Amino acid sequence: MRALAGLALLLLAHGAWAEEAPWGLVRLMAQLQAVKQARAHFVERKTAAMLTAPVESTGTLSYVAPDRLEKITLTPAPESIVLAGDTLTGVQPNGDKFSISLGDHQEVAALVEGVRSTMAGDLRTLGRYYAIDLVGHPSEWHLTLTPLDRSVRDKVDAIRIDGAGAVLRTISVHEADGDQSEMTVMPDGP
């Protein structure tokens, strides 16, 4: 079974078979891989046991294939996060800057790859970090990513991504302690 999965990934990497395969995970990843850049606005709602009310934030997202992802939060306080290659940098609401290497923080790497690798259509990387379940059809699909690594599962139950075609619509993170966030993504342009 692993050999078949490996063969499917190899064929996908070379751009073959994906166009002829019936719709499913391989075809969805090929569609997402074809997107070379995207911009969107977002509204994110976080609920947590320690909060008396949900916190809502808004901002912009941008993606440039294959590995640059930027999140700029505009409200309630300015914040930025840039993922480029193996490095995550940003500025927190208090002005403090940070920079980390994903190679030194495997749990953070797993979390960010759930989103970035989905946007990149990188099935190989997603499969390294997550059990992947896809339901739906091309015009409305739901992807559930369940962390494979126990240390990540101790923090996150699952990441759920909903989309239509090659467009991501919502990204939800369900934490092991019951906290969760849901980001609604509204693409800029057609």
Side-chain angles (χ1 to χ4, degrees):
M1 191 64 168
R2 285 184 172 201
L4 288 176
L7 178 60
L9 290 174
L10 181 62
L11 290 171
L12 178 62
H14 290 287
W17 186 50
E19 292 181 16
E20 298 174 13
W23 190 84
L25 189 57
V26 172
R27 288 279 302 269
L28 174 60
M29 290 293 124
Q31 282 182 286
L32 293 168
Q33 197 173 61
V35 176
K36 298 305 176 197
Q37 75 179 42
R39 292 190 50 81
H41 283 78
F42 73 84
V43 176
E44 185 173 34
R45 185 179 175 97
K46 293 182 181 178
T47 57
M50 64 182 280
L51 298 174
T52 56
V55 173
E56 189 170 285
S57 60
T58 62
T60 62
L61 298 171
S62 65
Y63 167 74
V64 178
D67 62 5
R68 182 177 171 81
L69 185 60
E70 181 178 61
K71 177 185 177 188
I72 298 177
T73 301
L74 301 172
T75 65
E79 180 179 14
S80 66
I81 300 172
V82 176
L83 175 61
D86 184 46
T87 304
L88 186 66
T89 59
V91 180
Q92 298 176 338
N94 64 4
D96 289 350
K97 296 179 180 178
F98 65 90
S99 178
I100 64 170
S101 169
L102 296 183
D104 296 336
H105 302 276
Q106 289 302 309
E107 294 171 3
V108 175
L111 295 175
V112 298
E113 288 300 351
V115 176
R116 179 173 64 178
S117 294
T118 298
M119 294 183 82
D122 184 351
L123 186 55
R124 180 179 301 190
T125 300
L126 271 181
R128 185 170 23 155
Y129 292 106
Y130 296 98
I132 306 166
D133 183 46
L134 173 68
V135 296
H137 47 81
S139 61
E140 184 179 340
W141 49 265
H142 311 280
L143 194 64
T144 301
L145 307 174
T146 305
L148 296 174
D149 185 276
R150 183 178 179 86
S151 64
V152 178
R153 271 197 325 268
D154 287 345
K155 293 181 173 54
V156 174
D157 283 338
I159 297 173
R160 294 194 175 95
I161 300 174
D162 301 327
V167 177
L168 278 58
R169 301 279 190 203
T170 61
I171 301 168
S172 304
V173 177
H174 300 264
E175 298 180 27
D177 63 3
D179 295 351
Q180 62 181 336
S181 67
E182 181 172 297
M183 177 185 289
T184 302
V185 180
M186 297 152 287
D188 291 351

